[in-house]
Amino acid sequence: MKTKIDPQLHAYREKTLTKIKELEKEGKFDVDVENDPPSRALKPGEVDYSYNKFSTRFKASIAFFFARIYLHHLLATKTLVVKGIEGKENLKGLKSGVLFTCNHFSPMDSFLTQIAYEKSGRKRRSHHLFRIIKEGNYTSFPGFYGFLMRNARTLPLAHSLPVVREFLRGVKDTLKRGEDILIYPEQSMWWNYRKPKPLKEGAFSLAIFSMVPVVPLFITMEDTDRIGSDGYPIEAYTIHIGKPIFPDPSLSDNENKQRMKENNFAQWKECYEKTYGEKLTYSTITH
C-alpha cells in the first residue's frame, strides 16, 4: 500500500534540511535545528541519578516495556530498518562500564543504539544502557516520548551546580556498577545528517572522570525504495562499533581529552569516508 504523504510534515522536513545547510555554511554545528518545547531547570533531588530507589527502577522497567512494544512495531512495519551491525568484536574483553558516543541525526538513533547494544552481546542480565539527555527533554518533553525521556534510564544534564554534582555522581556510580552510558558529543541533532559533526569535550571529560573507555558508535544510512509519510525515503541503517579509546593515566586531563576526542572523530571520519565513498568536507565558509 502506498504511503500517504503528510504535506505539513514534508514542508517541515524541507525547512529543516534548508536550515541544516545554512548552519553548516556558518559552522554552527552545535546548534539544534528543530525547536524544543519550553523547558525549566531541574531542582536538586528531583532526579534519582544513581537509580537507588525501587520506584525509579520500576518506572524504568515499565518505560522499557512500552518502548520495546513500540520498537517492535517500527521494525515490523519497516518504518525503522536495520541493515546491519559491524564491529561487535571491538566490545570483547571490556570488563568495566563503557561510555558510548554516537552521531545524532534522529530520535530513532536511541533505538538503534539499543539494538546494537543487545545484538552485540554487551547487555548482561543486570546491566543496562543509560542515556545522557538534555535537561529540557527531561523536564518538558510531552507525551509518550516525554514519558520515555523521564523514565527509560536517562541521565539529564543540568545547569544548576548542585544538580551537576548529582549528575556526575550518578554517572560515576552507573559506570562503577559496570553499566554503560550513551552520550551524543556533537551536542545537536540534525535530521538525517550523514556527516560527523565536530565533537565537544564533555563526553571525554566524563570518561576521564570515571576512568573508563570511550567506544565510538557511528550510524550510517542509505535510502530504501520505500517513502515515509514525510515524503522522503525511509533509511536503512548500519551501526558501526569502533575501537575502544582508553584514558592514558600518564597524560594530563586536558591532554587526554584532546587525544580521545581526536581519536573518536578520526574513527567516525574513516567510517564515513569508507561507507559513502567520498572525502569528508563541509560547506563552512571561513574568513
Side-chain angles (χ1 to χ4, degrees), residues 211-239:
M211 288 307 291
V212 298
V214 164
V215 175
L217 303 179
F218 191 73
I219 302 174
T220 58
M221 62 192 85
E222 61 181 72
D223 295 348
T224 68
D225 56 3
R226 299 183 67 236
I227 301 298
S229 58
D230 57 8
Y232 286 90
I234 291 174
E235 302 294 330
Y237 301 103
T238 301
I239 305 104

Side-chain angles (χ1 to χ4, degrees), residues 15-233:
K15 184 178 178 181
T16 298
L17 292 173
T18 299
K19 190 172 180 181
I20 287 172
K21 289 180 180 179
E22 292 171 355
L23 290 173
E24 183 182 299
K25 277 188 178 181
E26 296 169 6
K28 297 179 179 178
F29 292 97
D30 57 357
V31 176
D32 273 324
V33 176
E34 302 180 55
N35 296 324
D36 292 327
S39 62
R40 63 172 179 81
L42 286 163
K43 300 174 183 177
E46 184 176 350
V47 181
D48 179 18
Y49 280 104
S50 295
Y51 277 63
N52 290 323
K53 298 176 183 177
F54 171 79
S55 59
T56 307
R57 297 192 297 272
F58 178 73
K59 287 178 183 176
S61 298
I62 296 298
F64 261 82
F65 173 78
F66 286 109
R68 199 166 293 281
I69 292 174
Y70 181 55
L71 175 58
H72 286 166
H73 169 73
L74 294 176
L75 294 172
T77 57
K78 296 185 178 180
T79 308
L80 186 68
V81 180
V82 179
K83 183 180 178 182
I85 303 167
E86 297 184 357
K88 296 177 187 177
E89 67 278 3
N90 291 325
L91 296 178
K92 290 182 180 179
L94 294 176
K95 300 185 184 302
S96 69
V98 164
L99 197 67
F100 288 100
T101 61
C102 187
N103 54 321
H104 199 18
F105 54 86
S106 166
M108 295 296 107
D109 52 41
S110 179
F111 287 120
L112 295 169
T113 55
Q114 185 69 33
I115 292 170
Y117 183 69
E118 296 179 5
K119 296 286 187 182
S120 68
R122 178 66 186 171
K123 180 174 174 15
R124 290 140 292 168
R125 183 174 179 180
S126 59
H127 292 83
H128 306 283
L129 178 63
F130 287 72
R131 292 158 177 79
I132 292 177
I133 64 172
K134 291 195 302 184
E135 183 176 47
N137 287 353
Y138 185 93
T139 58
S140 306
F141 218 84
F144 176 68
Y145 285 113
F147 173 74
L148 296 184
M149 293 284 188
R150 286 182 287 278
N151 297 289
R153 301 190 183 98
T154 54
L155 304 169
L157 287 164
H159 292 88
S160 163
L161 186 57
V163 186
V164 169
R165 292 195 186 103
E166 295 176 4
F167 166 79
L168 291 173
R169 189 162 53 247
V171 167
K172 199 164 192 175
D173 288 347
T174 301
L175 294 168
K176 190 176 180 179
R177 291 194 304 264
E179 304 196 78
D180 301 316
I181 296 175
L182 169 69
I183 186 170
Y184 299 107
E186 297 169 319
Q187 199 176 293
S188 63
M189 186 188 81
W190 287 9
W191 182 74
N192 275 9
Y193 188 72
R194 298 189 175 192
K195 302 175 187 178
K197 301 195 290 291
L199 307 182
K200 301 293 185 178
E201 292 183 346
F204 311 100
S205 295
L206 291 177
I208 295 164
F209 175 70
S210 301
M211 288 307 291
V212 298
V214 164
V215 175
L217 303 179
F218 191 73
I219 302 174
T220 58
M221 62 192 85
E222 61 181 72
D223 295 348
T224 68
D225 56 3
R226 299 183 67 236
I227 301 298
S229 58
D230 57 8
Y232 286 90

